Amino acid sequence: MAANRPPNVVLFVTDQLRTDALGCMGNTIVSTPNFDRLAREGVGFGNAYVQHTVCTPSRCSMFTGLYPHTRGYRSLYYLLHPEEPNLLKTLKQAGYHVEMIGKNDLLTPDAYPNSVSHRPKLAWKNMPNPWPDDHRLHDTFYFGRRPDEFDPDHDRAIIDAALEFLASKPPEPFCLLLALIQPHPPYMVQEPWYSRIDRSKVPMPIRPQFEGAARFRRVLHGVQGTKHMQPAEIIDMVATYWGMTMRLDDMLGELMGRLETTGLEARTAVAALSDHGDYCGDYGLTEKWWIGFEDSLTRVPLILRAPGMPRRGVMRGPMVEMLDIYATVCDLAGVKPEHDHFSRSVVPLWQGRTSEHRDAVFAEGGHRPTETHCLEDLFLPASNLYHHKTRVQREDPTLLGKSTMVRTQRDRKSVV
């Protein structure tokens, strides 16, 4: 298709979605028919790994095709500058209208003009922590059912803006980036999604393991992990996370439905992916950590569908890095990148022209103890969910010392 008319591109980017939260990736308890359909009509990769377990470095890596260390993408505060390459900029320079809706974690303000054509302003309501400051659950990120009075939330606003954009007869080709929030903690979701998971079928997460593990596990378990939660609360937290995932699935369904009704489906490529995963109770932890390289954080879904591409379903063998999204989208769009990068298009794999892709995947994170400029700022009050996370790294920077992960086909669970 790229030889005749470049396809439109929709990037459905979730935040902290684990691979094992989707039905097409093996979860038999959740119902995710739209993620499953996307994989069935295109391709899904069951062994896709992020290059960083924190939002900004991971997104910078994905959108440039560069490993985080290459240009210093290793903190929440180093965003892409105007002179730096990125996928949005590449597509915009190739004639695409780039519509960016949702959270940023990617571009500096002065990088918008050459990377984004339009970014609408959104309005939504944030839900305060339901637990009092001195409550044992206050710092666990577990909220449970979201009251109806706090609608609309951020993701609802994003999807509504996207549906409006697609119905507006947008200029083509376009790239529509939806940078969603869920299932990022706090773990909360409104009805009917909160009650859709049968709690009796939800297994307990991986038990806490501290012997021989990095010290951050014990510290985080003590200040914001499941140490303070009852077993039924942990089960409810997992069910809530899966409920958030099912709500995302319904939103993806709305998006795919709008592509169909507007006649855009036949000329639009869709990618559903995540920037990293979430502990959600595994190892007695919640949320994420800078040098946590377990599958809970590093293995995420990557699902693609594009005009003229075959139906492959989920491929569970090949190992893919999330920075491969850069070369893949460029390949589908018929655009040649102008910078050297490490990204490899999955199109040959998708088309069945090869069964080889990568023999190893990598992730990295952390800083040297003296690099305090890379740490999160300790400006949050004790009532804030992230107070303890910022406090412990300031008190002991060795809890997130510079680290690297390598996984190979021979042993996908090896961690260095």
Side-chain angles (χ1 to χ4, degrees):
M1 185 172 182
N4 302 311
R5 182 178 181 179
N8 304 311
V9 176
V10 174
L11 301 172
F12 189 86
V13 183
T14 63
D15 197 333
Q16 301 202 188
L17 178 60
R18 295 163 49 141
T19 297
D20 61 7
L22 300 183
C24 60
M25 297 296 178
N27 192 316
T28 60
I29 300 172
V30 301
S31 174
T32 53
N34 297 295
F35 281 107
D36 301 353
R37 174 192 163 193
L38 198 67
R40 187 170 60 251
E41 296 178 351
V43 65
F45 294 97
N47 283 301
Y49 289 84
V50 299
Q51 278 54 73
H52 203 289
T53 57
V54 175
C55 302
T56 298
S58 178
R59 291 170 191 248
C60 288
S61 179
M62 289 192 298
F63 278 78
T64 61
L66 301 172
Y67 289 105
H69 69 269
T70 310
R71 292 184 63 90
Y73 311 136
R74 58 200 185 104
S75 78
L76 285 171
Y77 310 114
Y78 190 97
L79 304 176
L80 298 176
H81 291 75
E83 71 278 5
E84 295 184 279
N86 76 78
L87 179 60
L88 303 181
K89 179 180 178 182
T90 299
L91 293 176
K92 191 170 188 287
Q93 290 178 341
Y96 274 73
H97 171 92
V98 177
E99 188 84 359
M100 179 179 180
I101 308 177
K103 67 178 293 188
N104 182 12
D105 288 347
L106 184 65
L107 303 171
T108 57
D110 54 352
Y112 276 93
N114 63 14
S115 297
V116 177
S117 307
H118 181 245
R119 187 186 183 206
K121 293 183 179 179
L122 305 178
W124 67 92
K125 296 179 183 177
N126 285 319
M127 179 178 164
N129 195 326
W131 311 114
D133 290 358
D134 58 352
H135 195 278
R136 62 183 176 82
L137 297 178
H138 181 273
D139 302 312
T140 61
F141 292 91
Y142 164 59
F143 284 14
R145 188 181 73 82
R146 179 186 173 105
D148 294 338
E149 60 264 29
F150 288 101
D151 281 341
D153 63 14
H154 191 267
D155 285 356
R156 184 67 259 170
I158 291 172
I159 294 300
D160 287 344
L163 296 176
E164 182 179 347
F165 170 78
L166 293 174
S168 69
K169 296 183 178 179
E172 298 183 62
F174 63 78
C175 172
L176 173 59
L177 169 61
L178 304 182
L180 298 141
I181 292 289
Q182 290 191 336
H184 191 293
Y187 308 104
M188 64 173 178
V189 71
Q190 53 270 71
E191 296 289 5
W193 299 278
Y194 176 74
S195 298
R196 281 187 177 173
I197 299 293
D198 183 349
R199 269 60 176 173
S200 68
K201 296 181 180 179
V202 177
M204 284 293 288
I206 300 171
R207 64 179 180 81
Q209 299 172 11
F210 306 127
E211 190 68 30
R215 286 190 305 111
F216 76 81
R217 279 194 190 175
R218 187 181 297 276
V219 173
L220 293 186
H221 179 67
V223 298
Q224 64 182 36
T226 57
K227 176 180 179 180
H228 315 285
M229 301 176 69
Q230 301 297 321
E233 292 166 339
I234 297 173
I235 290 296
D236 191 65
M237 178 181 69
V238 175
T240 300
Y241 178 83
W242 287 350
M244 296 163 75
T245 301
M246 293 170 68
R247 182 168 184 253
L248 277 174
D249 183 81
D250 284 351
M251 291 180 172
L252 176 61
E254 290 184 64
L255 192 71
M256 293 166 65
R258 184 58 55 90
L259 289 173
E260 293 173 13
T261 59
T262 55
L264 291 167
E265 181 185 35
R267 53 184 186 273
T268 301
V270 179
L273 57 143
S274 183
D275 57 358
H276 52 80
D278 189 286
Y279 281 120
C280 197
D282 279 350
Y283 309 100
L285 306 178
T286 56
E287 231 260 329
K288 59 183 179 290
W289 191 246
W290 295 84
I291 57 171
F293 296 137
E294 302 88 352
D295 272 9
S296 309
L297 301 190
T298 56
R299 195 164 70 99
V300 299
L302 175 60
I303 305 174
L304 304 154
R305 185 186 72 183
M309 294 296 290
R311 297 179 174 223
R312 292 298 301 272
V314 176
M315 302 180 71
R316 304 188 185 278
M319 302 188 76
V320 174
E321 292 189 318
M322 288 306 293
L323 58 73
D324 291 337
I325 193 69
Y326 179 85
T328 300
V329 172
C330 287
D331 199 353
L332 293 171
V335 176
K336 184 175 173 138
E338 295 184 354
H339 73 287
D340 293 332
H341 57 81
F342 302 96
S343 182
R344 299 179 186 177
S345 172
V346 300
V347 168
L349 196 63
W350 187 354
Q351 292 177 326
R353 291 187 281 122
T354 181
S355 59
E356 305 278 333
H357 189 68
R358 293 185 181 275
D359 60 2
V361 295
F362 303 88
E364 59 188 87
H367 326 100
R368 290 193 294 271
T370 56
E371 295 178 314
T372 55
H373 59 283
C374 294
L375 302 174
E376 294 175 87
D377 291 332
L378 185 57
F379 62 90
L380 300 172
S383 60
N384 190 282
L385 277 173
Y386 285 88
H387 171 78
H388 287 302
K389 181 180 178 184
T390 57
R391 175 182 63 80
V392 297
Q393 62 183 270
R394 286 282 175 177
E395 292 176 353
D396 185 0
T398 64
L399 291 172
L400 58 161
K402 194 172 178 64
S403 305
T404 303
M405 176 203 87
V406 181
R407 276 181 171 81
T408 67
Q409 282 282 10
R410 184 170 55 86
D411 183 4
R412 293 197 183 109
K413 293 186 178 180
S414 62
V415 178
V416 177

